[in-house]
């Protein structure tokens, strides 16, 4: 990579303190001027189904456009509140925000992260770890674990913040 080329940093976000603190860590310890930050939020099928009040099945007969737009607006609001308002003066450009609706099961969030990293030709993926504990992680899965094992670009997991 030439010195003038910006690094492309993909940062998957969610509406948690873990994610916000990891973002702040990235800005303080990892970000360099001219880096291009991409924030990625994945609306999982389970989350979307819960808002619609329907089971998380492969086929939802009616998509309520207003409810879907409400989910997107909620995501936009927390991204602004938790991430965009915490940008330091060293950040030279506004991060690119990607909001993606996942069409498959809940574990697909990690798949979407890996796909987006490849699509953007990301230099690396930086993300938080939620410290669920081994039992919850076994039953619920771990997006960071999936990304660590399947992503084709380097992955930095920010833990213990």
């Amino acid at each position: 990579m030439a010195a003038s080329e910006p690094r492309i940093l993909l940062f998957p976000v969610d509406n948690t303190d873990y994610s916000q603190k990891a973002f702040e860590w990235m800005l303080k310890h990892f970000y360099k001027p001219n880096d291009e930050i991409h924030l990625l939020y994945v609306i999982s099928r389970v989350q979307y189904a819960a808002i619609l009040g329907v089971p998380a099945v492969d086929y939802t007969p009616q998509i309520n456009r207003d409810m879907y737009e409400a989910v997107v607006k909620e995501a936009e609001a927390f991204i602004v509140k938790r991430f965009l308002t915490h940008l330091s003066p060293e950040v030279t450009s506004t991060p690119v925000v990607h909001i993606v609706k996942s069409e498959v099961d809940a574990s697909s969030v990690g798949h979407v992260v890996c796909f987006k990293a490849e699509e953007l030709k990301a230099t690396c993926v930086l993300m938080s770890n939620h410290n669920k504990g081994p039992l919850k992680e076994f039953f619920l899965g771990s997006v960071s674990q999936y990304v660590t094992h399947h992503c084709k670009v380097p992955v930095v997991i920010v833990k213990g913040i």
Side-chain angles (χ1 to χ4, degrees), residues 8-158:
I8 298 172
L9 310 178
L10 179 60
F11 192 90
V13 300
D14 60 26
N15 196 4
T16 64
D17 290 341
Y18 295 114
S19 189
Q20 182 179 341
K21 288 176 182 176
F23 182 72
E24 291 166 359
W25 180 91
M26 178 197 70
L27 292 177
K28 184 176 180 181
H29 300 286
F30 198 87
Y31 176 82
K32 293 181 181 176
N34 297 326
D35 281 352
E36 188 176 297
I37 300 172
H38 290 257
L39 302 177
L40 171 64
Y41 179 68
V42 180
I43 301 170
S44 71
R45 187 178 72 188
V46 171
Q47 176 192 8
Y48 186 59
I51 290 170
L52 291 176
V54 297
V57 294
D58 288 331
Y59 173 71
T60 303
Q62 288 184 312
I63 300 298
N64 184 325
R65 189 75 183 155
D66 293 334
M67 291 185 104
Y68 177 70
E69 291 298 324
V71 172
V72 171
K73 285 187 190 306
E74 181 182 314
E76 290 169 345
F78 88 73
I79 289 169
V80 168
K81 180 181 176 185
R82 285 191 178 267
F83 303 98
L84 298 182
T85 58
H86 291 272
L87 294 175
S88 60
E90 295 82 32
V91 177
T92 56
S93 64
T94 304
V96 178
V97 176
H98 306 269
I99 298 176
V100 178
K101 179 178 173 271
S102 176
E103 299 294 339
V104 291
D105 65 14
S107 65
S108 71
V109 173
H111 177 77
V112 173
V113 171
C114 295
F115 178 80
K116 187 56 92 172
E118 288 182 55
E119 180 182 72
L120 294 171
K121 296 182 170 97
T123 305
C124 70
V125 175
L126 294 103
M127 61 191 301
S128 66
N129 176 297
H130 287 86
N131 303 316
K132 290 186 229 175
L135 191 59
K136 278 188 179 178
E137 191 169 299
F138 177 77
F139 286 106
L140 300 175
S142 167
V143 174
S144 61
Q145 187 177 50
Y146 182 94
V147 172
T148 301
H149 287 92
H150 295 92
C151 200
K152 294 179 181 174
V153 302
V155 177
V156 175
I157 305 295
V158 182

